[in-house]
Amino acid sequence: MDSAAALVTGAGTRLGSIFARHLASLGYDVALHCNTSVDGARQLAQEIRSMGRECEVFVQDFSAPFDSDSFINSVLEQFPNLECLINNASAYEAASAQNTSRELLESQFRVNFVTPFLLASSFAKSAQKGEIVNILDNKIAYQQHQYSAYLLSKKALADFTVMAALEFAPKVRVNGIAPGVTLPGESRGDAYVNWRIEGIPLAMKGQDSHLTATLTYLLQNEFLTGQILYVDGGESINLVGRNFETYADTRQ
C-alpha cells in the first residue's frame, strides 16, 4: 500500500461516514472504526473499495478501557502509511450537573475526551508525519448546563487540540472542526431546525459539503495547526446579549 491512509473513528454512521467517504475521494485508504454500527461500517467499506481505495473495519468499544497503542498498532499492520486520524466518535446525552450520575459523567468523558486524547498520543508516537483532526461541537462556545458532562468533555478536547498541537509539532499537526446545525439528531423535527436557524447569522442550515471542504482545507494547509474552525454559519459568535434597545424593540 503506497497511498496515505486515514483512521476515522465512529465511521459507521452520520458524520464519520461522510468524512470517511470524503477522505477516500481525496485518495486516502481508510480504516473505519465502529462499535455498534458494524453493518453500516461494512457497507461503507464496500463502497470505499468500489472507489478503488483500500478499506478495513476495526471494531472497538470506546466506552470501556482499552489499549490505545495496541489499537493504533493493529491499524498500522493493515495501513503502514497511516498519516491521518479523525477523532469523530462521540457520546451525547443531555443532563444538567445536578442530574448527572457518576456513570454518565465518566462515560461521556471516556468516549469524548479520554479516548481521543489517548488515540492522538498513540498516533503521534508512531507517525513519522501526519494530521489529527478532532471533531468538536459549536456548543463549546457556550455554557449550556443542560448538556453538562457532554459539553465539558468537548471543551476539554478543544483545549487538548491546542495543547497537542504544541507537543506534537513539527511532525504532526492537530486541528479541530466544531460543526453547527448540519446533521441534527433524528429526534429533531423541522420546527426545531427552523428555530435554530433563527439564531444563525447566515440564516441557513449547514450542508455536508461545508464540513468536508473544511476537512480538505485543514489537511492540505501545511502551515496550520492548533486551530479550531467553527463551521456553523456564525451561530457561535451570536453573543450580542440582551440590552435595553433590543428590549424596547420587542415592546413596539
Side-chain angles (χ1 to χ4, degrees):
M1 299 181 186
D2 296 327
S3 300
L7 166 61
V8 182
T9 68
T13 184
R14 293 174 61 78
L15 284 182
S17 63
I18 291 168
F19 287 134
R21 193 177 291 108
H22 181 65
L23 286 162
S25 75
L26 295 178
Y28 286 86
D29 294 329
V30 186
L32 304 175
H33 158 266
C34 67
N35 180 23
T36 59
S37 302
V38 178
D39 290 341
R42 288 174 176 166
Q43 291 174 9
L44 179 59
Q46 292 285 20
E47 180 183 344
I48 290 175
R49 292 181 192 123
S50 72
M51 299 168 65
R53 310 313 317 166
E54 298 289 337
C55 189
E56 299 294 338
V57 175
F58 297 82
V59 181
Q60 179 64 54
D61 181 4
F62 286 170
S63 67
F66 71 101
D67 189 323
S68 60
D69 287 344
S70 294
F71 182 79
I72 291 295
N73 286 335
S74 69
V75 176
L76 283 167
E77 289 177 3
Q78 297 290 321
F79 299 97
N81 294 326
L82 181 66
E83 294 184 5
C84 178
L85 167 63
I86 311 296
N87 274 318
N88 169 78
S90 183
Y92 176 87
E93 186 169 343
S96 66
Q98 296 177 84
N99 293 316
T100 297
S101 65
R102 176 182 291 273
E103 180 182 22
L104 176 59
L105 178 65
E106 292 178 350
S107 66
Q108 295 285 285
F109 266 82
R110 189 174 294 120
V111 176
N112 298 331
F113 175 67
V114 175
T115 290
F117 178 104
L118 294 174
L119 287 178
S121 300
S122 296
F123 174 85
K125 285 187 290 187
S126 62
Q128 298 302 311
K129 64 175 182 177
E131 298 87 26
I132 298 170
V133 180
N134 293 323
I135 308 304
L136 304 163
D137 189 319
N138 79 328
K139 282 185 172 63
I140 62 174
Y142 305 117
Q143 304 299 330
Q144 296 182 353
H145 56 80
Q146 298 89 344
Y147 307 90
S148 185
Y150 166 79
L151 189 49
L152 285 170
S153 65
K154 286 293 189 178
K155 285 174 179 283
L157 184 57
D159 279 348
F160 174 66
T161 299
V162 180
M163 185 182 295
L166 288 171
E167 179 182 347
F168 301 162
K171 68 175 185 175
V172 174
R173 296 188 295 109
V174 188
N175 293 291
I177 298 175
V181 183
T182 304
L183 286 178
E186 295 178 356
S187 63
R188 311 297 197 245
D190 291 341
Y192 170 79
V193 173
N194 291 334
W195 176 75
R196 285 288 300 275
I197 290 173
E198 290 176 2
I200 299 175
L202 293 184
M204 61 185 288
K205 173 178 169 291
Q207 304 298 320
D208 299 350
S209 59
H210 298 137
L211 295 174
T212 55
T214 303
L215 178 59
T216 299
Y217 171 67
L218 291 177
L219 295 179
Q220 294 182 351
N221 191 327
E222 296 179 349
F223 200 49
L224 196 69
T225 196
Q227 304 304 305
I228 296 172
L229 302 185
Y230 288 78
V231 187
D232 66 351
E235 184 180 26
S236 56
I237 64 170
N238 192 13
L239 302 174
V240 175
R242 295 185 177 185
N243 59 70
F244 182 77
E245 294 303 316
T246 55
Y247 171 78
D249 288 343
T250 65
R251 295 299 186 267
Q252 293 178 1

